[in-house]
Amino acid sequence: MAFYECVLIARQDIATTQVDTLGDDLTTIVTEGGGSVLKREYWGLRALNFRIKKNRKGHYAFFNIDAPAPAVHELERRLRLNEDVIRHMVVRVEALEEAPSAMMQKNDRPERPGRRGERFGDRPERGERGDRGDRFPRGDRPERSERRPQREGAE
């Protein structure tokens, strides 16, 4: 038997329980074909980079599969027929990873320094600036009202 990784995107308007049910159905398809699902991950409801069939978001699910080729062909056929699945991809791999996938590890990483929502990177906080006082007119340019003449009809 060969190893496969399957990623699918389900419609945004179905519930998480329906995505779990969809995963159970896919697991039964593989087991009926003589294979097994070794790992199953739900990556959550995520934004899509572009609209797919009028959907802006999708439920992502990931499966590690050890199955013969006919079982995987049947799995792909049923994924194409399922109305809740908007995209899917099944890829044959040499070996399956036991550890959580990169999408699951992404949340475990500590936050990088300097990435606390600061707008300008290493720029320090300006702190309290207090009352800066009156602004004095600059002598090298005319007053604002003298710079350009007002247009007719503008008030």
Side-chain angles (χ1 to χ4, degrees):
M1 287 195 278
F3 299 123
Y4 297 90
E5 290 182 350
C6 174
V7 178
L8 66 91
I9 306 172
R11 292 184 311 146
Q12 65 186 358
D13 55 344
I14 65 172
T16 308
T17 55
Q18 288 175 301
V19 177
D20 289 338
T21 306
L22 178 65
D24 293 338
D25 294 343
L26 299 181
T27 303
T28 56
I29 294 168
V30 172
T31 54
E32 286 172 358
S36 62
V37 175
L38 302 177
K39 181 168 62 171
R40 181 171 151 183
E41 294 178 353
Y42 174 68
W43 291 347
L45 182 66
R46 305 175 62 86
L48 301 173
N49 287 337
F50 53 89
R51 281 181 159 183
I52 302 174
K53 298 182 183 176
K54 299 183 182 178
N55 290 293
R56 292 181 185 272
K57 293 183 176 184
H59 294 275
Y60 282 72
F62 174 76
F63 301 92
N64 275 348
I65 300 169
D66 182 13
V72 175
H73 291 301
E74 178 64 17
L75 172 72
E76 288 183 312
R77 186 184 77 79
R78 297 240 187 123
L79 286 173
R80 281 193 302 267
L81 294 175
N82 195 327
E83 294 177 354
D84 292 335
V85 177
I86 54 178
R87 285 283 192 275
H88 72 277
M89 182 171 66
V90 179
V91 178
R92 184 174 178 185
V93 293
E94 294 296 320
L96 298 174
E97 292 187 22
E98 299 286 325
S101 65
M103 294 297 287
M104 297 302 281
Q105 292 173 359
K106 181 177 168 183
N107 297 335
D108 298 339
R109 260 188 2 206
E111 204 168 307
R112 294 191 309 197
R115 295 284 182 163
R116 296 169 297 226
E118 294 176 4
R119 188 170 168 198
F120 297 105
D122 296 335
R123 190 177 197 181
E125 296 253 351
R126 292 170 77 168
E128 182 62 39
R129 296 173 68 186
D131 185 22
R132 294 173 52 186
D134 293 335
R135 296 272 176 125
F136 298 102
R138 294 175 66 178
D140 59 339
R141 61 181 179 182
E143 288 291 323
R144 186 169 285 225
S145 60
E146 299 172 3
R147 284 190 210 160
R148 51 183 122 98
Q150 287 187 351
R151 290 180 273 165
E152 292 181 27
E155 294 182 44

